[in-house]
Amino acid sequence: MNGADHTARPGAREMRPYTRAFVTRVTARNRLPLDFSVASLRVVDFLIDGLRKGGAERERVGETLFGLGAYVGEVLVRRAGAVWVDFDAQQSAYFGQHVGVRMPDGRVWNPLGKVHNRFDSGSPEESLQTFYLTLHGRPRRAVA
């Protein structure tokens, strides 16, 4: 799962196939239960905590963090009715990312940055499962 970040980042249209490929790579080696469920976001929290405890530097795990952020975003797409969007210049400057998701109510969120926050802080308050469960703009029922 480690590796330097040397690849070009996908845009909004490429995020779904990128995420599927990332999950296929990660689950083939590690048999992780990454099934795009809300509950699987606990696994993402666990993986990020493991990277932190292992002493990984952000630069060395940048591609993994991007993949995990893409996974979180795809859970929002599949379960909360979000869509991938390319950020405009102002949003990119604010979020520090070039893609994110727009919720059904029009709010824009940054799951890639949320993964970086979890990695940087290690704080339980940055839990990705909690992020989903407290997310504004998602329908009350999961979207199939």
Side-chain angles (χ1 to χ4, degrees), residues 3-95:
D5 182 11
H6 296 294
T7 59
R9 295 292 187 215
R13 280 201 239 163
E14 296 87 33
M15 289 304 288
R16 291 195 92 171
Y18 172 89
T19 305
R20 280 192 299 270
F22 172 79
V23 168
T24 298
R25 281 193 317 274
V26 172
T27 57
R29 290 192 304 228
N30 299 300
R31 297 184 185 190
L32 298 169
L34 296 177
D35 59 3
F36 299 99
S37 67
V38 175
S40 72
L41 295 175
R42 290 181 58 196
V43 174
V44 176
D45 285 331
F46 175 78
L47 292 171
I48 294 169
D49 291 345
L51 291 172
R52 284 181 52 77
K53 289 177 185 168
E57 296 175 17
R58 188 199 267 216
E59 294 76 31
R60 292 197 56 211
V61 295
E63 190 168 332
T64 298
L65 293 176
F66 186 88
L68 292 172
Y71 179 81
V72 172
E74 189 61 22
V75 171
L76 295 176
V77 168
R78 293 181 184 206
R79 303 290 174 214
V83 294
W84 285 106
V85 294
D86 292 308
F87 287 149
D88 63 28
Q90 185 178 10
Q91 291 167 326
S92 290
Y94 179 77
F95 289 126

Side-chain angles (χ1 to χ4, degrees), residues 76 80-83 101-109 135-139:
L76 295 176
V83 294
V101 296
R102 178 171 288 117
M103 300 304 289
D105 72 349
R107 296 179 201 217
V108 177
W109 296 98
L135 189 66
H136 295 286
R138 69 181 173 88

